[in-house]
Each structure stands twice: as structure tokens, then as C-alpha cells.
């Protein structure tokens, strides 16, 4: 079934944006190393980026529900592209302050939040309801290829030629994404919103959306499972590099190969997610994917063989991709158009909190017990999430009343 011209433009925009994300993942830390030798300042860049995104998640959700989502998408990508082009200019003419890099990177993070939220919210308006699983699978595939496979090596290659070249290429790709999104049809907050009526304040509107999410059992359950899944993911992955080096006895290059190989599982997951969901329904697709996630982490806890570890990690990424596609599609089916931004923001806050807690717990377990302990903990958490997922009662397309 064809997904239509509007979805193709969204797909191309995502392809350019994800390729830029892959370049930025390698390029920005390398620029930081070129600007400072302070480990604290280099590590603080990622912390500042994450905290900035967390702080703006809820208000951005409100604006995604208030404004034209197409405009938000192309504007956010254009602005982050221009910010990186300006940074490249500074790199070509001299050495900017590390604080300039902090400011640019945090601004890019804010714009990423805007673009990501609006993209999730607009998708149900561009494809038929029974095409959501397939559409999300296509988007996941291009994200994996561009962000995981193509972007990082290209970023490293360009940075080896010139730092400014790597940064300006990243910015240009975001601008190309903006052009693709500009060609999308205009789509505002939904037919059930009266734009003539006065609106409540930003935080009051955010609270209304969060109350709606908390009051609907299926959306509330999806948000909770997502937070637990992110916690279960980060507990072992926060120390995965140590596990690879010390338990699997891999070199740094071998660790990179291990991660690249594991990403192949994500491509398989994106290819099969829609058909699995059609056969099993959303509830059992998500529950069984969590069972697979639990089994792979528990298996990793017992192995010291890098080949076995690679296969298990590929199966793990497969489970994560299938779960993500199913959960995103179900949320898009259930949430009314004018609430998509705020419910995504609420779920995102819980997920980011789960990531932060998981990283802290993983470090403590590895420090006090063993490198296998975080893997056991993650496996147990995924098993709990699998049981929780079976409590979902809705597998049909009908949205609840707002």
C-alpha cells in the first residue's frame, strides 16, 4: 500500500535530519576536544544538552498543540542548521570559545525537541490509520541507516579534513530537511480546537494535557511502560563499554564493530514490526518484545564470547525497534489530534527520567557488585515491563473521548 506524496516528503526530511544527527554525534564532541582539554567541560557538554532538552520538553508540547506543525518542523530544522553553519564560520576564521559550542549545542537540542515532537504529532494526519505501523517502520529504518551507519563514519571523515567542513555539512543537511518539511501540507492542532477562543496560560494548558494523559488508562500505561523500558535499557548500556572491554576483551575498534553489528537487528525489527503487529495486536507485540529484551540481557550476563554477545545485542536492538514502532503507532491512534504534542511531551519527560535513573543505578551496581549485575537488573526490569504490557486492553483504532 502506497503511503503517498506527503509521507514521502516527511521521509526525505527525516532522512536528511537523521543523517545530520549522525554527523553531529561524532562532530560535536570532536569540536569540543579541539577547543578544550578539560574532561569536565567535554563531559559537561552532553549533560547540558540533555538537561536543556528535559527543561523545554513540556512547553514545547504545548506549542506543538497550538501551532501549525509543518511550520514548526521546517523552522526548527532551518534554525538549527543555520546555528551550525554560523559555528562552522567561526571555526574557519578562528577558534571560538567552548562556551559558544555549549550555547550552539543546547540550542540545537531545543530545536531537536521541537522537530521530533511535531514529526510524531503530524504523522497521523499524513497517512491512513491502518498505515501507521508501516509508516513508523519506514521512519525507523531510515533513522537507523542514516543515524547509526552512514552519519558517524561520514562525520569522522569530514572532521579529518576540516572541523568546519564537518560542522557546515551537518548544518546544511538540517537545512535540506527544512526544505523537505516546508513542502508538507499545512496541519494545525486539529479540528476539535476553536482557535477563536482565548487560550489558558502555557503551564495551565500543559497541565490540562498531562491530566488528560493521567486520566486515560491506556496512554498512562504506555507512558509508564516507556519509562520503565528506558530505565531497563540504560542500566546495562551505561556500562556497556566496560563490559565490552573487560568481559568480552574487545579493543576500542572491536567495540565499534559490536555496536554497528547490533544495529542490524534494528533494521530487521523495522522490517517485521508492522506484520508482527497485524498478527499479534499491539498488546502482545509489545509484551513479547519486552520478553525478548529481558532474555537477551540475561543471556549477555552469562557470556564472555563476543560473537554470542553481538548476536544477543542485535536481538536486543530488534526488540527495542519493534516495541518503539508499536508503542508510537498505538499512541498516535489513541490520542486526539489537539493533544498529541502534550501527551508526547509528558511521555518523553518520564522516559528521560527513566534514562537518568537507569544510568545512575547501572553505575552503582557495576561499582559495588559486578559488570554482570546491571545486565541482570535490566533483564528483570524488562520482564516486569512485559507483564505490565499485558494489562493493555485497547488494540483497536478508536480514540478515547477528550
Amino acid at each position: 500500500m502506497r503511503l503517498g506524496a506527503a509521507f514521502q516528503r516527511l521521509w526525505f526530511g527525516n532522512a536528511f535530519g537523521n543523517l545530520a544527527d549522525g554527523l553531529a554525534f561524532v562532530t560535536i564532541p570532536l569540536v569540543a576536544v579541539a577547543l578544550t582539554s578539560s574532561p569536565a567541560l567535554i563531559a559537561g557538554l552532553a549533560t547540558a544538552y540533555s538537561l536543556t532538552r528535559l527543561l523545554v520538553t513540556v512547553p514545547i508540547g504545548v506549542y506543538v498543540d497550538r501551532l501549525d506543525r509543518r511550520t514548526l518542523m521546517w523552522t526548527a530544522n532551518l534554525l538549527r542548521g543555520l546555528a551550525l553553519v554560523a559555528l562552522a564560520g567561526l571555526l574557519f576564521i578562528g577558534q571560538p570559545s567552548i562556551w559558544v559550542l555549549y550555547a550552539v549545542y543546547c540550542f540545537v537540542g531545543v530545536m531537536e525537541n521541537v522537530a521530533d515532537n511535531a514529526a510524531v504529532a503530524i504523522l497521523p494526519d499524513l497517512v491512513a490509520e491502518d498505515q501507521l505501523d508501516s509508516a513508523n517502520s519506514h521512519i525507523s529504518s531510515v533513522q537507523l541507516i542514516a543515524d547509526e551507519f552512514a552519519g558517524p563514519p561520514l562525520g569522522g571523515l569530514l572532521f579529518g579534513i576540516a572541523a568546519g567542513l564537518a560542522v557546515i555539512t551537518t548544518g546544511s543537511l538540517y537545512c535540506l530537511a527544512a526544505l523537505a518539511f516546508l513542502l508538507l501540507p499545512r496541519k494545525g492542532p486539529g479540528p476539535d480546537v476553536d482557535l477563536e477562543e482565548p487560550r489558558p496560560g502555557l503551564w495551565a494548558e500543559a497541565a490540562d494535557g498531562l491530566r488528560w494523559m493521567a486520566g486515560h488508562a491506556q496512554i498512562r500505561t504506555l507512558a509508564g511502560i516507556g519509562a520503565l523500558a528506558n530505565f531497563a535499557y540504560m542500566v546495562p548500556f551505561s556500562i556497556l563499554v566496560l563490559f565490552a572491554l573487560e568481559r568480552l576483551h574487545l579493543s576500542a575498534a572491536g567495540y565499534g564493530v559490536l555496536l554497528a553489528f547490533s544495529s542490524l537487528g534494528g533494521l530487521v525489527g523495522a522490517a517485521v514490526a508492522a506484520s508482527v503487529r497485524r498478527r499479534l495486536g499491539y498488546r502482545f507485540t509489545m509484551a513479547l518484545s519486552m520478553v525478548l529484551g529481558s532474555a537477551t540481557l540475561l543471556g549477555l550476563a552469562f557470556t564472555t564470547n563476543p560473537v554470542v554477545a553481538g548476536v544477543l545485542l542485535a536481538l536486543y536492538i530488534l526488540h527495542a525497534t519493534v516495541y518503539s514502532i508499536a508503542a508510537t503507532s498505538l499512541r498516535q491512534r489513541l490520542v486526539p489530534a489537539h493533544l498529541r504534542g502534550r501527551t508526547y511531551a509528558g511521555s518523553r519527560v518520564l522516559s528521560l527520567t527513566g534514562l537518568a535513573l537507569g544510568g545512575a543505578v547501572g553505575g552503582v551496581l557495576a561499582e559495588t557488585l559486578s559488570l554482570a549485575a546491571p545486565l541482570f537488573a535490566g533483564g528483570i526490569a524488562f520482564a516486569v515491563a512485559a507483564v505490565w504490557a499485558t494489562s493493555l486492553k485497547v488494540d483497536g483504532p478508536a480514540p478515547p473521548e477528550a
Side-chain angles (χ1 to χ4, degrees):
M1 187 182 297
R2 290 180 58 84
L3 290 168
F7 175 78
Q8 290 174 12
R9 292 166 190 153
L10 180 69
W11 186 92
F12 275 111
N14 274 286
F16 288 128
N18 284 311
L19 183 58
D21 290 341
L23 265 70
F25 179 77
V26 170
T27 299
I28 297 299
L30 289 173
V31 172
V33 171
L35 298 181
T36 180
S37 59
S38 167
L41 285 176
I42 293 169
L45 188 65
T47 302
Y49 174 81
S50 299
L51 286 176
T52 302
R53 292 192 66 186
L54 181 58
L55 289 173
V56 301
T57 293
V58 171
I60 283 173
V62 174
Y63 285 112
V64 168
D65 285 339
R66 284 183 176 184
L67 305 175
D68 172 43
R69 288 157 182 166
R70 182 207 64 161
T71 300
L72 288 173
M73 291 168 67
W74 75 258
T75 302
N77 278 280
L78 180 63
L79 290 176
R80 61 178 169 171
L82 292 177
L84 288 170
V85 169
L87 176 64
L90 293 176
L91 289 169
F92 279 124
I93 64 176
Q95 190 176 58
S97 163
I98 184 66
W99 301 114
V100 172
L101 181 63
Y102 264 73
V104 170
Y105 199 37
C106 289
F107 178 76
V108 167
V110 172
M111 293 300 103
E112 183 176 350
N113 257 21
V114 174
D116 288 351
N117 192 322
V120 172
I122 203 173
L123 180 61
D125 300 317
L126 303 180
V127 301
E129 191 175 85
D130 61 356
Q131 294 177 314
L132 281 171
D133 301 303
S134 178
N136 280 308
S137 295
H138 280 77
I139 289 172
S140 291
S141 295
V142 72
Q143 180 178 353
L144 283 163
I145 293 171
D147 203 349
E148 303 288 340
F149 292 109
L154 178 59
L157 175 65
L158 293 173
F159 192 91
I161 299 172
L165 177 62
V167 176
I168 199 170
T169 302
T170 306
S172 299
L173 287 167
Y174 283 131
C175 292
L176 287 173
L179 178 61
F181 293 139
L182 181 61
L183 299 176
L184 290 171
R186 290 177 61 87
K187 205 67 186 177
D192 22 8
V193 177
D194 187 350
L195 298 178
E196 300 298 323
E197 290 188 2
R199 288 182 174 275
L202 185 146
W203 291 107
E205 201 165 344
D208 286 342
L210 296 177
R211 276 194 296 269
W212 183 92
M213 185 178 77
H216 286 268
Q218 310 315 317
I219 299 301
R220 184 175 67 241
T221 300
L222 280 174
I225 293 171
L228 180 57
N230 276 275
F231 171 83
Y233 156 78
M234 189 52 72
V235 171
F237 273 71
S238 63
I239 55 89
L240 185 64
V241 62
L242 291 176
F243 181 84
L245 298 178
E246 297 182 17
R247 283 283 297 267
L248 303 179
H249 305 294
L250 292 173
S251 64
Y255 177 59
V257 172
L258 180 72
L259 293 181
F261 178 80
S262 68
S263 298
L264 295 174
L267 293 178
V268 175
V272 304
S275 60
V276 170
R277 202 285 305 169
R278 282 194 297 270
R279 288 181 173 85
L280 301 180
Y282 285 113
R283 176 172 49 167
F284 290 110
T285 296
M286 287 187 284
L288 290 176
S289 72
M290 294 293 186
V291 170
L292 178 60
S294 176
T296 54
L297 291 184
L298 294 175
L300 277 169
F302 288 102
T303 189
T304 58
N305 186 308
V307 175
V308 174
V311 172
L312 288 171
L313 281 172
L315 290 172
Y316 175 86
I317 302 299
L318 186 154
H319 116 267
T321 303
V322 170
Y323 166 77
S324 177
I325 290 169
T328 300
S329 298
L330 180 56
R331 187 184 300 111
Q332 288 167 334
R333 284 174 178 250
L334 294 176
V335 179
H338 68 286
L339 288 168
R340 289 179 196 145
R342 282 167 285 176
T343 54
Y344 178 82
S347 298
R348 188 67 181 149
V349 168
L350 291 175
S351 294
L352 290 171
T353 302
L355 288 174
L357 291 175
V361 170
V364 171
L365 291 175
E367 184 76 26
T368 58
L369 296 176
S370 70
L371 289 177
L375 294 161
F376 280 115
I380 293 169
F382 272 122
V384 173
V387 174
W388 196 358
T390 62
S391 69
L392 284 166
K393 304 299 183 185
V394 177
D395 251 317
E401 293 296 323

